[in-house]
């Protein structure tokens, strides 16, 4: 079942709907109507279960963190891969070398996170470190920044990695975060009328995928090479060998424009603002100009998600 572009809701439609409560602030809040459009249609046609491909990226796509470990075992291959990721994402050599040379423990890396030197939401920042620098937006208040700093300091005192090596830790961290997000998607699907299952997150599938060395499972020059081999003869060849993948940037920007009034209304009686965490006037002003560079790479999304979540659980 495929929906046309006209039938597919844009991001942010239904952002004021607080009927779907989730355990955590989850990305589905800003795309619930979009995420459940096909599910709702299939429910009306009698479908009893909806299978999705969530988890495939977590297992078979990487941004190169494994190279931090690989450089000690297979330095030539590691440098070849790093050059590939650098070409693919436009990384600069200086931060690449700085991250590769960083041999701090995970706990020390967490302790070194600084809200005054924020990271970048895009892929243009190398992804070869234990942690990704926090992205601190200008509409967060000074009180919010102080709370974040205190939270990081407290977390660093007891921080433990998911695995001894940096690359495997990053993989498991992404899986943990992904399953939390997808639990929210599953709840939205259930409310739309059909239970959702995500086979890529099954324990047996995860164990099988992670049994393959990361340098054999991922490659900057190929998209999910192991998965492509696994589905040979199962997936139509035209789909299996494609070299492009749809992403929703255009629809996200269009959604900001079309649903700006609903988004702006979030800040009129903002729960986050009442808690002293965001500057509601700044957000309202910026939301009124969706094309502003301040919203590059979905910079406002996490704030919208937190606001929508707080309204739903309040």
């Amino acid at each position: 079942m495929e929906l046309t572009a006209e039938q597919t809701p844009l991001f942010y439609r239904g952002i004021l709907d607080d009927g779907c409560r989730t355990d955590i602030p989850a990305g589905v809040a800003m795309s619930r109507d979009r995420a459940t459009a096909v599910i709702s249609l299939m429910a009306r046609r009698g479908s009893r279960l909806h299978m999705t491909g969530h988890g495939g990226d977590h297992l078979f796509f990487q941004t190169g963190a494994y190279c931090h470990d690989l450089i000690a075992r297979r330095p030539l291959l590691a440098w070849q891969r790093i050059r590939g990721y650098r070409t693919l994402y436009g990384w600069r050599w200086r931060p690449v070398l700085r991250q590769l040379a960083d041999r701090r423990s995970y706990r020390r890396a967490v302790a070194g996170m600084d809200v005054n030197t924020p990271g970048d939401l895009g892929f243009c920042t190398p992804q070869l470190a234990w942690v990704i620098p926090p992205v601190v937006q200008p509409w967060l208040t000074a009180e919010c920044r102080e709370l974040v700093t205190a939270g990081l300091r407290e977390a660093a005192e007891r921080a433990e990695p998911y695995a001894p090596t940096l690359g495997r830790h990053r993989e498991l961290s992404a899986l943990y975060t992904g399953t939390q997000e997808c639990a929210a998607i599953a709840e939205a699907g259930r409310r739309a009328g059909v239970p959702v299952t995500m086979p890529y997150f099954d324990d047996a599938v995860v164990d099988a995928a992670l049994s393959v060395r990361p340098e054999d499972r991922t490659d900057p020059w190929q998209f999910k090479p192991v998965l492509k081999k696994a589905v040979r003869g199962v997936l139509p060849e035209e789909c299996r060998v494609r070299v492009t993948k749809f992403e929703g940037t255009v629809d996200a920007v269009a959604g900001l424009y079309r649903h700006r009034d609903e988004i702006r209304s979030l800040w009129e009686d903002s729960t986050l603002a009442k808690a002293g965490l965001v500057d509601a006037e700044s957000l309202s002003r910026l939301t009124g100009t969706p094309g502003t560079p301040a919203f590059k790479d979905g910079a406002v999304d996490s704030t919208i998600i937190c606001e929508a979540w707080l309204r739903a659980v309040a």
Side-chain angles (χ1 to χ4, degrees), residues 9 44-45 57 60 105 110 124 162 181 220 260 262 286:
R44 294 194 294 271
R45 297 193 174 191
D57 285 351
F60 300 103
S105 67
V110 174
C124 60
Y162 289 114
E181 284 280 345
R260 71 176 109 184
E262 295 99 308
L286 288 169

Side-chain angles (χ1 to χ4, degrees), residues 135-151:
V135 179
V136 182
Q137 303 297 354
W139 50 81
L140 301 185
T141 64
E143 180 182 356
C144 180
R145 293 168 189 251
E146 291 174 3
L147 289 170
V148 171
T149 298

Side-chain angles (χ1 to χ4, degrees), residues 27-290:
V28 71
M30 64 173 226
S31 59
R32 189 179 304 122
D33 286 359
R34 182 183 180 89
T36 59
V38 172
I39 297 174
S40 299
L41 178 59
M42 297 310 295
R44 294 194 294 271
R45 297 193 174 191
S47 175
R48 292 178 296 175
L49 183 67
H50 188 77
M51 298 178 68
T52 82
H54 292 95
D57 285 351
H58 300 76
L59 294 176
F60 300 103
F61 173 76
Q62 273 219 19
T63 54
Y66 68 92
C67 294
H68 194 278
D69 310 321
L70 185 64
I71 201 166
R73 295 188 291 109
R74 303 177 66 183
L76 180 59
L77 177 61
W79 281 113
Q80 291 174 339
R81 294 295 174 85
I82 290 167
R83 287 178 59 230
Y85 288 117
R86 181 175 175 269
T87 301
L88 186 62
Y89 298 124
W91 293 348
R92 292 180 293 111
W93 271 119
R94 180 172 294 181
V96 168
L97 295 175
R98 184 169 59 246
Q99 290 189 11
L100 289 174
D102 185 356
R103 295 291 152 174
R104 292 178 298 174
S105 67
Y106 175 66
R107 185 170 294 180
R108 286 184 61 200
V110 174
M113 297 174 73
D114 183 2
V115 299
N116 295 313
T117 55
D120 191 291
L121 286 168
F123 286 123
C124 60
T125 299
Q127 306 283 316
L128 307 174
W130 280 107
V131 294
I132 300 173
V135 179
V136 182
Q137 303 297 354
W139 50 81
L140 301 185
T141 64
E143 180 182 356
C144 180
R145 293 168 189 251
E146 291 174 3
L147 289 170
V148 171
T149 298
L152 289 172
R153 189 183 304 117
E154 181 181 348
E157 294 176 357
R158 60 180 186 276
E160 296 292 341
Y162 289 114
T165 59
L166 185 152
R168 181 49 58 93
H169 162 78
R170 287 285 300 273
E171 285 189 310
L172 295 179
S173 177
L175 279 168
Y176 177 69
T177 303
T179 53
Q180 287 186 307
E181 284 280 345
C182 288
I185 295 173
E187 172 61 17
R190 184 189 66 79
R191 291 181 60 85
V194 181
V196 175
T197 184
M198 304 169 187
Y200 281 123
F201 282 130
D202 287 353
D203 288 348
V205 177
V206 171
D207 288 343
L210 296 187
S211 70
V212 181
R213 293 178 301 187
E215 62 266 33
D216 295 329
R217 192 168 6 106
T218 65
D219 186 335
W221 307 115
Q222 299 184 66
F223 191 66
K224 303 179 181 178
V226 169
L227 186 58
K228 285 172 65 175
K229 292 180 180 179
V231 297
R232 180 184 284 124
V234 177
L235 194 69
E237 194 66 5
E238 181 180 355
C239 295
R240 192 185 73 86
V241 300
R242 67 189 175 96
V243 294
T244 59
K245 180 181 179 180
F246 174 79
E247 55 94 34
T249 301
V250 173
D251 286 352
V253 174
L256 277 173
Y257 276 93
R258 181 171 298 178
H259 302 295
R260 71 176 109 184
D261 290 340
E262 295 99 308
I263 298 171
R264 288 185 73 180
S265 68
L266 289 173
W267 320 125
E268 293 174 359
D269 190 33
S270 169
T271 307
L272 289 172
K274 290 177 181 177
L277 301 178
V278 302
D279 180 350
E281 290 185 7
S282 175
L283 280 164
S284 181
R285 183 174 59 255
L286 288 169
T287 305
T289 55

